[in-house]
Amino acid sequence: MEGASYQRFPKVKIREAKDDYLKFELRDTDASVANALRRVMIAEVPTIAIDLVEIEVNSSVLNDEFIAHRLGLIPLTSDRAMSMRFSRDCDACDGDGQCEFCSVEFHLRAKCMTDQTLDVTSKDLISSDHTVVPVDFSDALGGDDSSEQKGITIVKLRRGQELRLRAIARKGIGKDHAKWSPAATVTFMYEPEIHINEDLMENLSLEEKQSWVDSSPTKVFDIEPNTEQVVVVDPEAYTYDDEVIKKLKPWGSQLVLNAIEVLKHKLDAVRLSEDTVEADDQFGELGAHMRGG
């Protein structure tokens, strides 16, 4: 239609936010947009991670490659990531790590001088930029005696063992390597829309209603004490559970069987779509619908 607009205005509502977890609603759009957002968050939002390691001295039990790999997986604060340049696109340096526009330099020097095992952790990394440092998890964990307060363990040293290195952190995206992915995982789901058949509920006694509510392994339904009506208290906790269907057997099981039958008809209509006469004879309007008619 001329002049028709298909522009959407999605709305985002934050439901829960923590230091390491975020839950939000995305409305007034479709699944393709939600999935595109999910994929971008996992693979295309830039962060900063150690990408180049120069080992000067390593007399620990771990070889150079092992230590370099562990360093690359240490999460770094990445507030600067969006304003930094990719090293491949930077015209202000030759990639040696001495560039304020595309890289951050780290140094680590540790030597065990006692009989006590020395833990070399992410807190031993000295950054040339105070805004790009290893992520500190101590505030979230709490407790002064927690081993995590010391940072992420890189290697353990015994008496006489030493580790000295220089590391360069660069901007990157998760599509290139998982160490640049800003999230461990991103998922989305449709918000369930649950409708209770009030006419059928009226035929149940209070004990039968309570038995049906209790049959759900998650707290989805409850009984309103004043009206004794079954109400939805947490739709997001709903899963299509077999135990609930068993309680609904007089009317629920047939629904499942009917749905399977309709799906079989739709698949048959697709299979016979080339033979339009046979499809129209067998499926009528459904056959025409599957062809887009």
Side-chain angles (χ1 to χ4, degrees), residues 195-213:
H195 299 279
I196 298 175
N197 192 322
E198 300 295 346
D199 294 335
L200 292 173
M201 282 297 172
E202 289 295 333
N203 298 326
L204 301 180
S205 65
L206 181 60
E207 291 76 14
E208 289 174 328
K209 291 179 181 178
Q210 188 63 54
S211 176
W212 184 77
V213 168

Side-chain angles (χ1 to χ4, degrees), residues 5-53:
S5 174
Y6 296 96
Q7 185 177 7
R8 294 190 179 95
F9 298 93
K11 296 181 177 63
V12 176
K13 178 182 178 182
I14 304 298
R15 296 280 297 274
E16 185 178 355
K18 300 179 182 178
D19 289 341
D20 58 351
Y21 176 80
L22 176 67
K23 183 177 183 180
F24 64 91
E25 293 179 4
L26 180 64
R27 294 185 177 276
D28 298 337
T29 186
D30 53 31
S32 63
V33 175
N35 191 50
L37 184 62
R38 181 190 69 85
R39 292 173 65 93
V40 168
M41 285 191 286
I42 291 175
E44 297 188 44
V45 174
T47 62
I48 303 172
I50 291 176
D51 192 42
L52 176 65
V53 179

